[in-house]
Amino acid sequence: MPHRQIVIGDVHGHYDTLLSLLDAIAPDSDDQVYFLGDLIDRGPQSAQVVDYVMQSGYKCLLGNHEYMLLGTVGKGGIDSHQLQGWLYGGGYPTLVSYDHHIPQEHIEWMKKLPTYIDLGDIWLVHGGINPTIPLEEQTAEQFCWVRDEFHAMTEPYFKDKLIITGHTITFTFPGVAPGKLVAGAGWLDIDTGAYHPNSGWLTGLDLTNEIVYQVHSKHKTKRTLPLAEAVVCIDPSTVLSKRIKRHSVV
């Protein structure tokens, strides 16, 4: 069996669910495991998730929630202006999980997280790409936060790469049921909303074998699906209509 490339969506502090997902996937030491960012916030065990990924040596991207944390406490003090936005975006459970003291080791690790990973025919990024800007001119903020202009693309950004993202919960797209993955023009979104009460699914994707693994954060159900059965392809013209639906689930 070839060594696998495995991509895991937004964990958002759901440590026990992550362990159950990895138990189902059962990566060995030769498999390559990648996290799409947003290890933290909203869920109850962000500190444990970060520590686990750090110690495992798995690769991880910078997500918008790590970006907010670093904007708040990553410069040697607390930025009170950034603090309110981070807490509103789910940062308070993260502070509690750290007992209100985030170790400098964790902060320094987050500072070194890449904004994207190029795997050749696969390109990993947390949020997406602004389709109107050359790649070399884009910033961490764009890679972490972009949504609608990326999802509304009618042509792939790369001719020879599939972009895989997290960041936007898949059921916020029109006609997409909770737990389904979403595909558009040259991109695939695997953030199935592990923290969200209307979903609860955490997703891992075995790219090599095109298998989707999922664990539910509330009732702990596990399921495995062929990628082709798990994906909904959307019409880019419907993307702008999803703005109201996903307004409260960033």
Side-chain angles (χ1 to χ4, degrees):
M1 179 178 292
H3 302 318
R4 297 179 295 171
Q5 289 182 323
I6 298 158
V7 184
I8 296 177
D10 304 28
V11 180
H12 279 302
H14 285 278
Y15 176 65
D16 294 338
T17 308
L18 172 61
L19 294 186
S20 293
L21 180 67
L22 289 171
D23 182 65
I25 297 171
D28 65 30
S29 59
D30 293 317
D31 290 334
Q32 299 172 331
V33 179
Y34 303 91
F35 287 80
L36 292 175
D38 281 8
L39 300 180
I40 62 169
D41 294 353
R42 303 191 187 278
Q45 295 176 295
S46 291
Q48 292 89 334
V49 173
V50 173
D51 194 64
Y52 179 85
V53 177
M54 285 178 60
Q55 298 304 321
S56 71
Y58 295 145
K59 292 186 166 112
C60 181
L61 293 173
L62 181 72
N64 63 301
H65 284 262
E66 288 84 21
Y67 185 92
M68 287 191 290
L69 182 150
L70 292 175
T72 303
V73 300
K75 299 176 183 177
I78 296 176
D79 185 317
S80 58
H81 177 70
Q82 299 284 344
L83 176 63
Q84 293 306 312
W86 178 46
L87 294 178
Y88 177 78
Y92 185 72
T94 298
L95 282 178
V96 172
S97 75
Y98 278 106
D99 197 21
H100 295 271
H101 177 73
I102 302 173
Q104 191 63 32
E105 179 186 13
H106 283 205
I107 293 172
E108 294 303 318
W109 180 78
M110 290 183 202
K111 285 181 179 179
K112 295 175 183 176
L113 294 177
T115 52
Y116 63 83
I117 297 174
D118 189 346
L119 299 177
D121 58 345
I122 300 292
W123 205 83
L124 307 178
V125 68
H126 179 67
I129 297 177
N130 187 320
T132 67
I133 301 175
L135 185 63
E136 62 274 11
E137 296 178 15
Q138 301 200 37
T139 66
E141 183 172 0
Q142 287 157 331
F143 292 137
C144 287
W145 286 97
V146 70
R147 291 188 196 273
D148 293 329
E149 56 264 53
F150 171 68
H151 296 135
M153 293 190 306
T154 56
E155 297 292 334
Y157 189 88
F158 297 116
K159 290 184 173 29
D160 58 349
K161 301 177 191 290
L162 173 67
I163 300 171
I164 298 182
T165 74
H167 186 48
T168 302
I169 298 177
T170 55
F171 76 75
T172 64
F173 290 86
V176 178
K180 290 290 189 178
L181 312 189
V182 173
W187 58 266
L188 175 67
D189 179 358
I190 69 167
D191 178 11
T192 44
Y195 79 88
H196 200 279
N198 291 341
S199 180
W201 292 104
L202 177 63
T203 293
L205 171 59
D206 175 350
L207 287 166
T208 307
N209 298 298
E210 298 189 351
I211 297 173
V212 174
Y213 296 85
Q214 295 183 318
V215 177
H216 199 278
S217 61
K218 296 295 188 292
H219 50 65
K220 310 306 178 188
T221 303
K222 295 182 182 180
R223 64 188 186 189
T224 304
L225 300 165
L227 177 59
E229 293 182 13
V231 174
V232 175
C233 296
I234 64 160
D235 179 348
S237 68
T238 67
V239 167
L240 295 183
S241 69
K242 77 180 171 65
R243 285 181 172 177
I244 294 175
K245 185 178 179 183
R246 62 98 171 147
H247 178 72
S248 63
V249 292
V250 296

